[in-house]
């Protein structure tokens, strides 16, 4: 509780002292209106202008930041705090209890606590602990690593790229107040649900974060009444509900039901996950999570509460289903199809250095595994696997609605090939009464607190069938892209087109022939310089991911788990859907009130001055 307690005290104390910010200047407003497609007009006439800035000889219009005349006054922040019921906090990084002081942009706060530091050190890698913090990121690279846990309390702790303020929203009115404030004052605004974010879209220097994690309402229905032709079972899920939570609640139903969630239990379902598409163990059978959405409740950039479904605001409805996180509206709730839970089977396989130190033999096993990946997904399977030097770890294969005997029959050609090639492996297989039982038993919690850069690419059926050797060579590049760089991969075998051949969402049409989505990762060492970070980013983009792109003809990758700085991200993330998404974005958020890197309509936006100010090129 040290974050919240000190944050509230600091906010109130500095506000009373009148040092939270300078008086708000009188600024001309931008007058932009648009039709809401069934909603009241989208009026942006109260929006503050961008601030003129020159950097490296180029002219920009930037969001408003602390220290500028445009920054909201102390009274402005006090009024916002009152509007949101006292839930406005000054953000303090989660590692602060291990430091004597937090030297924040609004003042210095004494933060050291022996008990608090012990808690931080014990839980910094715990996803569940991190999710509950006001503005923490599960993977810390994009925070600038300026206040990590330490055994030296005298070490400095600064804000880095964390937000200045956080609204711990408890009601939809709190979210609206934050959106309105950001629009009217010109400050950068970010939506944060769980902080489950590889590429920094949940944090940002000098910003106001709206935390939606408290929205935990869940409402089940046996008969969905529309709009649309679907009349089956459904569930309405609040913005903050996470994967394991909704699956657990579904398991308690009679009869038990499931929702298409991610494989990681801490992912929030309703927000950025679905806005990116949302893939998981049921995706081969039922498509992306976005393909299973029936309706959204949202707040727009103009501050409107509205509904998006087939009948109301259908353009917004389509765009929210995979069109990009934090791009079109803030999601309050999502209504999704549910499906009966069924008996399932799972299997695990390891080929690693405890079994063989023969590198060629290990790569032979890896080649066989990937060669059979079309076969796996064409039989309705899902698989989650990890690839490191001399390590292939498949945990698990998922066979929903199948027995262990049926799963073994599907896997047998691959296992027989390993036997023929004398590749040693460990293998286990098991029946489960429900998918939920498999999920709890075989899927593992991921770790938080690491600093890494993330990329990735999708291989489709044609890639696997005709270029598997090239893919394996590209994987070798990913694992050893440079003498001083270590890479690894996280793979997902699924095909949304198996069960949903034609998308009803804004996801890239290329996914409908998918086989393997591979995440690439570089660990970033503590204390890495700006030059080192730039070098690692270049290595990821132009060595590791470039090798994968060159081995593939899919042209496709996943917006939530890939390199946002790759060339032609628009086409790779959304394919032929991109032009319509950009047009829809210009209607619902023409001024960039919402921003997430490499999402529709952000071509002219850039974070300048070493990762600080968000600006638009003029």
């Amino acid at each position: 509780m040290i974050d919240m307690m000190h944050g509230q005290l600091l906010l109130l104390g500095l506000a009373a002292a009148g040092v939270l910010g300078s008086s708000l200047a009188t600024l001309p407003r931008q007058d932009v209106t648009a039709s809401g497609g069934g909603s009241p007009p989208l009026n942006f006439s109260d929006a503050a202008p961008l601030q003129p800035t020159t950097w490296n000889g180029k002219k920009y219009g930037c969001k408003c930041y602390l220290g500028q005349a445009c920054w909201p006054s102390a009274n402005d922040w006090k009024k916002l705090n009152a509007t949101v019921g006292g839930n406005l906090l000054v953000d303090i990084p989660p590692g602060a209890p291990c430091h004597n002081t937090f030297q924040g942009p609004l003042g210095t706060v004494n933060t050291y606590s022996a008990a608090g530091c012990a808690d931080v050190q014990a839980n910094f890698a715990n996803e569940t602990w991190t999710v509950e913090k006001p503005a923490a990121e599960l993977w810390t690279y994009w925070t600038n690593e300026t206040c990590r846990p330490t055994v030296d309390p005298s070490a400095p702790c600064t804000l880095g790229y964390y937000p200045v303020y956080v609204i711990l929203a408890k009601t939809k009115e709190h979210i609206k107040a934050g959106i309105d404030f950001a629009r009217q004052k010109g400050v950068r605004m970010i939506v944060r649900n769980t902080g489950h974010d590889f590429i920094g879209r949940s944090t940002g220097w000098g910003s106001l974060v709206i935390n939606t994690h408290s929205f935990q309402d869940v409402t089940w229905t046996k008969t969905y009444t529309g709009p649309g032709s679907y009349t089956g079972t459904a569930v309405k899920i609040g913005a903050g509900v996470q994967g394991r939570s909704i699956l657990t609640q579904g398991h308690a139903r009679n009869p038990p039901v499931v929702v298409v969630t991610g494989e990681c239990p801490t992912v929030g379902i309703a927000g950025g996950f679905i806005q990116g598409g949302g893939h998981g163990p049921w995706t081969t059978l039922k498509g992306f999570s976005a393909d299973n959405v029936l309706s959204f409740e949202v707040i727009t950039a103009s501050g409107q509460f509205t509904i998006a479904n087939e009948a109301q605001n259908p353009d917004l409805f389509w765009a929210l289903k995979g069109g990009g996180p934090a791009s079109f509206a803030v999601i309050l709730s999502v209504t999704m199809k549910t499906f009966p839970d069924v008996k399932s089977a799972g299997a695990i396989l390891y080929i690693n250095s405890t079994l063989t130190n023969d590198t060629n033999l290990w790569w032979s096993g890896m080649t066989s595994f990937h060669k059979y990946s079309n076969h796996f997904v064409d039989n309705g399977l899902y698989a989650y696997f990890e690839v490191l030097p001399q390590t292939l770890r498949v945990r698990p294969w998922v066979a929903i609605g199948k027995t262990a005997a049926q799963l073994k029959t599907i896997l047998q050609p691959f296992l027989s090939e390993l036997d023929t090639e004398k590749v040693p492996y460990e293998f286990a297989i098991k029946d489960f009464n429900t998918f939920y039982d498999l999920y709890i038993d075989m899927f593992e919690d991921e770790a938080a607190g690491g600093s890494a850069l993330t990329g990735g690419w999708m291989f489709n059926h044609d890639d696997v069938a005709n270029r598997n050797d090239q893919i394996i060579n590209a994987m070798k590049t990913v694992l050893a892209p440079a003498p001083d760089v270590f890479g690894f991969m996280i793979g997902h075998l699924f095909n949304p087109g198996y069960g949903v051949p034609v998308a009803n969402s804004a996801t890239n049409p290329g996914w409908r022939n998918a086989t393997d989505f591979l995440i690439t990762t570089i660990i970033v060492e503590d204390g890495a310089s700006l030059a080192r970070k730039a070098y690692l980013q270049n290595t990821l983009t132009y060595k590791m991911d470039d090798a994968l792109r060159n081995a593939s003809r899919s042209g496709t990758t996943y917006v939530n788990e890939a390199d946002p700085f790759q060339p032609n991200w628009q086409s790779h993330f959304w394919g032929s859907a991109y032009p319509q998404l950009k047009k829809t974005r210009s209607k619902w958020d023409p001024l960039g009130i919402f921003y997430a890197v490499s999402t529709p309509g952000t071509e002219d936006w850039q974070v300048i001055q070493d990762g600080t100010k968000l600006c638009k090129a003029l």
Side-chain angles (χ1 to χ4, degrees):
M1 297 298 291
I2 189 168
D3 305 64
M4 297 175 62
M5 178 182 69
H6 280 295
Q8 289 171 319
L9 290 174
L10 180 59
L11 174 63
L12 296 174
L14 292 179
V19 298
L20 282 181
S22 59
S23 297
L24 185 67
T26 301
L27 301 168
R29 301 294 184 181
Q30 300 181 59
D31 190 359
V32 179
T33 59
S35 170
S39 293
L42 302 175
N43 188 350
F44 294 88
S45 61
D46 64 348
L50 298 173
Q51 300 300 305
T53 303
T54 300
W55 184 65
N56 285 348
K58 297 181 180 180
K59 292 185 177 181
Y60 296 89
C62 300
K63 298 288 187 177
C64 179
Y65 292 99
L66 184 68
Q68 296 178 302
C70 60
W71 185 253
S73 68
N75 195 48
D76 290 326
W77 290 109
K78 288 177 68 175
K79 288 180 179 178
L80 177 61
N81 189 36
T83 303
V84 300
N87 288 296
L88 178 68
L89 308 180
V90 171
D91 188 40
I92 297 177
C98 292
H99 300 256
N100 287 332
T101 59
F102 164 60
Q103 298 92 40
L106 303 177
T108 298
V109 181
N110 294 325
T111 52
Y112 182 76
S113 161
C117 184
D119 179 57
V120 170
Q121 291 173 329
N123 291 293
F124 200 71
N126 183 299
E127 283 196 346
T128 300
W129 181 89
T130 307
V131 164
E132 299 302 323
K133 299 300 175 185
E137 286 277 275
L138 268 69
W139 297 279
T140 56
Y141 176 82
W142 298 104
T143 71
N144 204 37
E145 310 287 2
T146 50
C147 189
R148 293 185 67 85
T150 179
V151 295
D152 177 11
S154 66
C157 170
T158 59
L159 191 60
Y161 298 163
Y162 280 114
V164 178
Y165 292 100
V166 184
I167 296 174
L168 291 178
K170 302 296 193 298
T171 68
K172 64 182 183 180
E173 288 79 16
H174 293 170
I175 296 176
K176 172 180 166 54
I179 295 172
D180 290 344
F181 187 88
R183 183 183 65 253
Q184 294 163 4
K185 307 301 183 184
V187 301
R188 183 178 178 183
M189 189 206 79
I190 289 170
V191 182
R192 190 265 192 193
N193 182 355
T194 64
H196 196 290
D197 176 13
F198 287 134
I199 50 184
R201 291 182 172 126
S202 297
T203 196
W205 183 85
S207 64
L208 168 67
V209 159
I210 300 175
N211 183 313
T212 64
H213 186 57
S214 71
F215 288 70
Q216 294 288 329
D217 289 345
V218 174
T219 304
W220 304 88
T221 181
K222 292 184 177 179
T223 305
Y224 182 72
T225 57
S229 60
Y230 181 76
T231 58
T233 58
V235 62
K236 181 179 176 182
I237 303 171
V241 177
Q242 295 165 269
R244 181 159 50 202
S245 173
I246 195 64
L247 290 174
T248 300
Q249 293 179 59
H251 182 68
R253 304 283 295 168
N254 187 17
V257 296
V258 297
V259 176
V260 179
T261 70
E263 56 81 21
C264 180
T266 61
V267 173
I269 301 303
F273 175 72
I274 278 178
Q275 288 175 291
H279 65 83
W282 280 78
T283 294
T284 297
L285 299 183
K286 300 298 182 181
F288 283 115
S289 289
D291 295 322
N292 293 283
V293 174
L294 300 167
S295 186
F296 293 100
E297 292 179 326
V298 303
I299 307 178
T300 68
S302 58
Q304 295 171 242
F305 300 108
T306 194
I307 303 294
N309 54 38
E310 288 184 28
Q312 296 176 260
N313 305 302
D315 62 333
L316 180 60
F317 178 56
W318 173 78
L320 288 169
K321 296 188 299 177
S327 300
F328 302 94
V330 177
I331 294 175
L332 298 171
S333 74
V334 60
T335 301
M336 298 180 67
K337 298 175 183 177
T338 63
F339 304 100
D341 203 351
V342 292
K343 291 184 177 181
S344 300
I348 59 175
L349 177 138
Y350 304 144
I351 306 173
N352 55 38
S353 58
T354 65
L355 302 172
T356 178
N357 287 311
D358 186 330
T359 301
N360 291 331
L361 189 62
W362 181 84
W363 275 113
S364 178
M366 184 67 220
T367 301
S368 294
F369 168 73
H370 205 265
K371 181 179 72 175
Y372 278 95
S373 56
N374 280 348
H375 171 72
F376 299 148
V377 299
D378 287 347
N379 280 276
L381 303 187
Y382 167 92
Y384 179 89
F385 64 97
E386 298 164 347
V387 183
L388 296 89
Q390 290 289 106
T391 299
L392 169 63
R393 188 175 190 268
V394 186
R395 184 187 175 101
W397 276 287
V398 178
I400 296 168
K402 291 180 170 62
T403 65
Q406 291 171 316
L407 175 57
K408 183 67 179 295
T409 297
I410 296 169
L411 299 180
Q412 192 58 55
F414 161 60
L415 298 176
S416 296
E417 184 165 303
L418 293 182
D419 292 336
T420 299
E421 295 178 358
K422 301 187 184 306
V423 177
Y425 60 90
E426 294 180 4
F427 177 78
I429 193 166
K430 188 175 180 180
D431 276 310
F432 295 91
N433 288 329
T434 64
F435 162 76
Y436 177 79
D437 293 321
L438 182 157
Y439 183 79
I440 295 300
D441 185 274
M442 287 193 156
F443 283 91
E444 301 169 310
D445 286 8
E446 297 176 8
S451 183
L453 286 167
T454 299
W457 197 251
M458 183 271 278
F459 299 108
N460 63 18
H461 275 54
D462 178 63
D463 291 333
V464 174
N466 298 307
R467 286 177 288 278
N468 196 56
D469 287 344
Q470 292 94 317
I471 293 171
I472 294 301
N473 285 333
M475 288 182 175
K476 293 177 180 179
T477 298
V478 170
L479 294 184
D484 59 343
V485 178
F486 164 74
F488 64 94
M489 294 169 281
I490 300 170
H492 314 74
L493 304 184
F494 63 83
N495 178 18
Y498 178 90
V500 185
V502 179
N504 61 25
S505 61
T507 51
N508 191 326
W511 283 108
R512 302 300 147 169
N513 192 34
T515 296
D516 176 17
F517 171 59
L518 201 63
I519 298 174
T520 56
T521 302
I522 295 177
I523 299 298
V524 181
E525 59 269 21
D526 190 25
S529 66
L530 289 175
R532 175 66 175 174
K533 291 176 179 179
Y535 168 74
L536 293 175
Q537 179 66 61
N538 187 75
T539 300
L540 176 76
T541 302
Y542 296 107
K543 288 189 177 180
M544 295 167 65
D545 278 10
D546 203 46
L548 301 181
R549 288 190 292 266
N550 290 335
S552 169
R553 301 294 181 269
S554 76
T556 304
T557 191
Y558 184 62
V559 61
N560 283 352
E561 296 169 319
D563 179 9
F565 305 109
Q566 65 186 290
N568 302 316
W569 56 264
Q570 298 92 332
S571 174
H572 294 157
F573 285 150
W574 290 286
S576 60
Y578 187 78
Q580 185 58 42
L581 284 169
K582 187 175 181 181
K583 180 180 178 181
T584 304
R585 176 69 175 272
S586 69
K587 169 185 171 180
W588 289 93
D589 184 21
L591 301 181
I593 308 304
F594 304 135
Y595 171 81
V597 63
S598 298
T599 52
T602 61
E603 287 86 350
D604 294 331
W605 288 89
Q606 183 181 353
V607 179
I608 66 170
Q609 296 180 357
D610 298 327
T612 56
K613 292 183 177 180
L614 174 63
C615 304
K616 187 175 184 180
L618 301 178

